[in-house]
Amino acid sequence: MTILGSSPSSSQDAETLALHALGWVLGDGDRAERFLALTGLTPDHLRTSLGEIGTLTAVLDFLCAHEPDLVAAADVLGVKPEELAAARQRIGR
């Protein structure tokens, strides 16, 4: 039996987008260091908390707080900057 119209919830989509954004953040050493410094996360805590709402929220907050990073991340991820900002609002719903 097939369930028609089943798709991930918008919060799951937002979480996936946040994980992709984290990959972008960590792809540059200086940016990764700034992210860790500003969030207070350690590399070990980041590794153990990848799927936690607080960590995913911190990623999107980090990007939304610095427009050049927000725009650059959105470009690489193939989304509009507004979509990253909106994902922040959807996470955890």
Side-chain angles (χ1 to χ4, degrees):
M1 179 166 104
T2 302
I3 299 174
L4 298 176
S6 66
S7 63
S9 72
S10 65
S11 68
Q12 288 174 324
D13 291 343
E15 291 171 18
T16 300
L17 186 56
L19 284 171
H20 288 290
L22 176 60
W24 181 83
V25 168
L26 297 178
D28 176 80
D30 290 339
R31 188 174 43 244
E33 286 182 31
R34 186 166 42 93
F35 172 72
L36 293 175
L38 290 172
T39 62
L41 291 168
T42 64
D44 287 337
H45 186 254
L46 181 60
R47 275 189 284 282
T48 61
S49 68
L50 285 177
E52 294 179 11
I53 298 303
T55 300
L56 300 177
T57 300
V59 171
L60 296 174
D61 284 344
F62 173 79
L63 292 175
C64 289
H66 188 65
E67 187 174 1
D69 281 347
L70 177 66
V71 171
D75 185 52
V76 168
L77 297 174
V79 298
K80 294 179 181 179
E82 297 85 7
E83 291 179 60
L84 283 171
R88 167 59 181 91
Q89 301 305 314
R90 291 192 316 268
I91 284 186
R93 286 191 186 175

